[in-house]
Amino acid sequence: MPSYSDLEENGPFLPASYTPLRGPTPPESGHIQAISRRPIKVFGVIAASCLFLASLVLLIIYGQPPQSPAETAHSRSPLSPGNVRPASMEEAQGVSQKSFRRSSDGNETYPWTNAMLAWQRTAYHFQPVKNWMNDPDGPLHHLGWYHLFYQYNPDSAVWGNITWGHAVSRDLIHWLYLPLAMVPDSWFDWNGVWTGSATILPNGQIVIIYTGDTDNYVQVQNLAYPANLSDPLLLEWVKYAGNPVLTPPEWIALKDFRDPTTAWIGPDGLWRVTVGSKINKTGISLVYKTSNFTDYELVDHVLHAVPGTGMWECVDFFPISTTGPNGLDTSANGPGIKHVLKASLDDNKHDYYAIGTYDGVKDIWTPDDPKLDVGIGLRVDYGKYYASKTFYDQDKGRRVLWGWIGETDTDDDDELKGWASVQTIPRVVTFDNKTGTNILQWPVEEVKSLRSNNTEFDDVFLEPGSVVDLNISSAAQLDISAEFEVDTTQLNATLDEIKNCSVAALRGAAGPFGLLVLTDESLSELTPVYFYIGKATDGTLNHWFCTDKSRSTEANDVDKQVYGGLVPVLDGENFTMRVLVDHSIVEAFGQGGRTCITSRIYPTRAIFRAAKLFLFNNATDLNVTASVKIWHLNSADIHPFPL
């Protein structure tokens, strides 16, 4: 097994041993690692049911599924009655808790009305008709249709029984629900069809590699492909008979091996796939080579590793052009191209990215700036956002990003309303040539098709301490573009020293100033989206882009934190933001998408026609002039496909 020090030095390492994956084998043959025999028809179902019941009993008693002899041989220590039990079903199965809060945790449960809960459902973001959803999976474009697969529980509004939901769209805005694409019906994904990615081969064939949670809770990678490639809807999927195609190396924990990326072709003509994992507290990205997607070779070193970042989930790896706005096929490399490496950190539930250089011969990625490495530098989004995944849209030549917006209320509330979680509006990802250190994220252009009733305000003067009502009725479905010009002569040595975003009620010399969205007439409920100008500890000027949820609702059993991060504002630039409001979702894009913040909001007063929009300047020493464009957005058409 590689040592922790090896990983800290980013040196190459060799696994103690690596067993090449076999092809299809008869059901009675043995399985590598701790994977048990495949269920065979009725006997298999009965055996699996018995195993499940036995596991359930032991889970109740000990807090963990039973351990196989192979696991014991690899020193996978089981929990004993004296150990701490997993805090959730998710943790028992090898992933961290997906829900924000199981119950009110001692806070008084808010008496939600049916009208309040109905208002929370979005109008133009994608979400299923009902029940739980999390990670976006395998997005692609095929024969005129965009396909979105997603982690879905068809039985409940809480995590569990994870299948692949499936929907299609012509424009990434209006969606049609399709039947489930894949369900946990085989020994290699018996406990869940987890996150995966799609790869379109040069001949047009589509392959999906996804993580399966096996019948004894081992994370493996499986292959699936369309039953009929000529079907634009890709209704039927076939799981490869020789699954799993990848199992955890013996020096990787059986529950720390998941979420394969879209594949790319290296200079030797072989495909590469990277899978997230960890060694102790070092997050790593393993690389495998394959010529046929059924047989793989583990590269003898990691693509990248960052000490202290913990388990890497939902790794994404893609090229980005430094010479133009067009997206690139995942296999592109060469002059004028950087590579973005992104990981979802299981320890803190945030998505981080870094820009760097990929050596396709050595299969090593190096960040441009080690201080901005994955997990310690820039975040994809500074709000409630996780498990993001991109795909190359070959139809329009763009790189499109999806992200999961989880709930920040309680499981009890989710079950009451009957659904949980939403996907972000798809975003186009480009390289920020002005900073050279950031990606830019921007809502896909198709969002504009929903716009109506344009209202504009030019040169609104905001003196310190002012709040201006923009008289927008029913401000629950909006697309807002705002620009703020500040009096730079007032930016002097009296600026506050700022280390992070603070509540908007806390006044400083040069901030906060911005918008109040989902706000009621009396300002008792409000959600500020704002800029704050301050100085760092070394005296240099910095700029913050923030969203404050502390007064967003009267409910006490929901999250009310302040989100945000630094945003580069270059010389000659005014402060700009675009904000999408969709009932309980607020997506904010600062400075053209250099810094993004996604929020879940649960108002009790600022709903329906009582939801209003304001400008504000809560600085003490700064005058601000604002110009705002506002569009009401129509609802998207999202319904079952008429099969």
Side-chain angles (χ1 to χ4, degrees), residues 461-532:
F461 182 71
L462 301 172
E463 63 182 2
S466 61
V467 177
V468 176
D469 187 347
L470 295 180
N471 295 312
I472 300 297
S473 62
S474 190
Q477 293 177 215
L478 299 179
D479 185 351
I480 310 164
S481 178
E483 182 173 358
F484 302 89
E485 184 178 356
V486 302
D487 185 350
T488 57
T489 62
Q490 297 174 294
L491 299 179
N492 53 40
T494 63
L495 287 177
D496 309 284
E497 184 177 303
I498 303 174
K499 297 181 180 179
N500 51 47
C501 286
S502 59
V503 294
L506 182 62
R507 303 184 68 182
F513 58 89
L515 295 167
L516 302 178
V517 301
L518 296 178
T519 302
D520 72 333
E521 183 74 38
S522 67
L523 304 183
S524 62
E525 283 188 343
L526 49 83
T527 300
V529 181
Y530 54 95
F531 293 102
Y532 206 128

Side-chain angles (χ1 to χ4, degrees), residues 351-372:
D351 279 18
Y352 290 82
Y353 77 92
I355 299 172
T357 301
Y358 169 57
D359 186 328
V361 175
K362 296 180 180 179
D363 283 312
I364 292 176
W365 176 88
T366 305
D368 287 347
D369 184 350
K371 297 189 297 295
L372 297 177

Side-chain angles (χ1 to χ4, degrees), residues 299-346:
V299 174
D300 62 5
H301 55 267
V302 297
L303 176 68
H304 194 57
V306 181
T309 56
M311 177 67 194
W312 283 10
E313 298 186 298
C314 302
V315 172
D316 203 1
F317 185 61
F318 58 89
I320 192 168
S321 173
T322 61
T323 60
N326 291 341
L328 299 172
D329 179 85
T330 308
S331 295
N333 202 358
I337 295 176
K338 293 285 188 179
H339 272 76
V340 176
L341 179 61
K342 168 255 154 182
S344 302
L345 301 196
D346 192 34

Side-chain angles (χ1 to χ4, degrees), residues 253-583:
L254 301 179
K255 297 181 180 181
D256 294 335
F257 182 67
R258 56 185 177 268
D259 308 336
T261 63
T262 295
W264 71 95
I265 301 176
D268 57 3
L270 296 177
W271 292 91
R272 272 87 164 151
V273 172
T274 183
V275 180
S277 189
K278 69 175 181 177
I279 297 292
N280 296 323
K281 286 294 184 180
T282 295
I284 65 174
S285 187
L286 303 167
V287 180
Y288 291 86
K289 294 183 179 182
T290 181
S291 62
N292 55 14
F293 290 91
T294 59
D295 303 290
Y296 292 79
E297 175 190 356
L298 176 63
V299 174
D300 62 5
H301 55 267
V302 297
L303 176 68
H304 194 57
V306 181
T309 56
M311 177 67 194
W312 283 10
E313 298 186 298
C314 302
V315 172
D316 203 1
F317 185 61
F318 58 89
I320 192 168
S321 173
T322 61
T323 60
N326 291 341
L328 299 172
D329 179 85
T330 308
S331 295
N333 202 358
I337 295 176
K338 293 285 188 179
H339 272 76
V340 176
L341 179 61
K342 168 255 154 182
S344 302
L345 301 196
D346 192 34
D347 286 357
N348 65 16
K349 289 295 178 291
H350 297 315
D351 279 18
Y352 290 82
Y353 77 92
I355 299 172
T357 301
Y358 169 57
D359 186 328
V361 175
K362 296 180 180 179
D363 283 312
I364 292 176
W365 176 88
T366 305
D368 287 347
D369 184 350
K371 297 189 297 295
L372 297 177
D373 208 344
V374 179
I376 61 174
L378 301 173
R379 281 169 54 180
V380 178
D381 190 294
Y382 288 81
K384 184 61 178 177
Y385 181 98
Y386 196 63
S388 59
K389 184 178 295 294
T390 67
F391 75 101
Y392 175 61
D393 176 5
Q394 73 274 27
D395 184 56
K396 293 198 172 182
R398 58 187 176 179
R399 173 71 50 176
V400 178
L401 171 70
W402 284 97
W404 166 42
I405 311 173
E407 301 291 332
T408 56
D409 58 358
T410 69
D411 278 359
D412 293 341
D413 292 339
D414 296 340
E415 290 182 294
L416 187 62
K417 67 178 183 261
W419 58 270
S421 302
V422 178
Q423 300 294 337
T424 59
I425 286 296
R427 305 172 181 177
V428 175
V429 179
T430 56
F431 179 70
D432 185 356
N433 279 292
K434 292 183 179 180
T435 66
T437 58
N438 296 76
I439 60 172
L440 299 175
Q441 304 171 59
W442 203 245
V444 292
E445 62 182 6
E446 290 88 341
V447 172
K448 296 179 181 178
S449 67
L450 299 175
R451 287 176 172 177
S452 66
N453 299 332
N454 180 27
T455 305
E456 297 188 19
F457 299 88
D458 295 323
D459 300 327
V460 180
F461 182 71
L462 301 172
E463 63 182 2
S466 61
V467 177
V468 176
D469 187 347
L470 295 180
N471 295 312
I472 300 297
S473 62
S474 190
Q477 293 177 215
L478 299 179
D479 185 351
I480 310 164
S481 178
E483 182 173 358
F484 302 89
E485 184 178 356
V486 302
D487 185 350
T488 57
T489 62
Q490 297 174 294
L491 299 179
N492 53 40
T494 63
L495 287 177
D496 309 284
E497 184 177 303
I498 303 174
K499 297 181 180 179
N500 51 47
C501 286
S502 59
V503 294
L506 182 62
R507 303 184 68 182
F513 58 89
L515 295 167
L516 302 178
V517 301
L518 296 178
T519 302
D520 72 333
E521 183 74 38
S522 67
L523 304 183
S524 62
E525 283 188 343
L526 49 83
T527 300
V529 181
Y530 54 95
F531 293 102
Y532 206 128
I533 307 172
K535 61 182 179 181
T537 53
D538 62 1
T540 58
L541 197 69
N542 59 23
H543 311 93
W544 294 85
F545 184 51
C546 316
T547 298
D548 176 8
K549 303 201 304 177
S550 63
R551 294 171 57 189
S552 63
T553 177
E554 292 187 353
N556 293 320
D557 55 351
V558 303
D559 175 54
K560 295 185 180 182
Q561 65 181 296
V562 180
Y563 296 142
L566 287 168
V567 60
V569 180
L570 307 184
D571 290 342
E573 292 183 344
N574 287 331
F575 292 80
T576 62
M577 68 170 73
R578 183 178 178 185
V579 181
L580 298 179
V581 180
D582 188 5
H583 295 256

